[in-house]
Every structure is written in structure tokens, then in C-alpha cells.
Amino acid sequence: GRLPKLAMGHNWVLVKQADLNGVARTSMAAGEALDYIDPSDTRVIAHTAMIGAGESASVTFPVKKLQAGVRYSFLCTFAGHSPIMQGTLALAR
């Protein structure tokens, strides 16, 4: 994007698919000061920092946290983004 993160930030948050909507709500409530991530939300498996124009982020997490047969989703928790900025993470067998 071309806008600063305060206007149009993005992050990448990994959760169990069943937790997506709940995490989206609590992250939105966490607000800008916490980069739209509730630090006490144990449903968040991994996440990046909030970024804006010209910035990049990466995330590393132990894949042993993931379980075969569980569906995982990723989303952006910036205000209003989660309904359309989401996808699925699949484990290779």
C-alpha cells in the first residue's frame, strides 16, 4: 500500500479457523496502541507487527504449535480489514 499504517495498516495473524471471528473482535478492541492485537489473547498463534507504506514484516513460529486435522486461518486485524483480508493455512502431509 501507499498509506501510513495509522491510515491503512496491515498485519498477518494466524489463528485456528474456529477462532477467527472472536480474534478479529478482540483485536479490533485492542486498538491502534497495541497494533490491533490483544497481547493476552491465547488464541493468536503467531502475528506480525502492524506495517504501513513501504514497510515489510516477517514472522517465525514453531510449526509444532500446529496440529494435523485442525483448520487454520490468517487475517489482518486492522480496523475493518478482517472480513475480506483473510485466508487459509494448510499443513502439507
Side-chain angles (χ1 to χ4, degrees):
R2 296 184 178 148
L3 297 173
K5 74 178 178 180
L6 293 178
M8 185 64 69
H10 297 289
N11 64 1
W12 184 91
V13 181
L14 180 64
V15 298
K16 290 180 180 176
Q17 187 174 30
D19 294 332
L20 187 139
N21 290 328
V23 169
R25 281 190 302 275
T26 59
S27 294
M28 183 94 131
E32 175 188 318
L34 295 173
D35 280 343
Y36 296 98
I37 296 289
D38 178 349
S40 67
D41 194 338
T42 59
R43 298 171 298 180
V44 174
I45 298 166
H47 67 88
T48 65
M50 190 66 60
I51 60 170
E55 297 178 313
S56 64
S58 64
V59 63
T60 303
F61 60 95
V63 292
K64 67 182 177 183
K65 285 185 160 185
L66 306 180
Q67 303 165 345
V70 175
R71 297 176 145 219
Y72 295 94
S73 293
F74 57 87
L75 67 149
C76 175
T77 59
F78 186 83
H81 286 193
S82 65
I84 58 170
M85 296 188 77
Q86 57 179 266
T88 302
L89 177 73
L91 297 176
R93 295 179 186 218

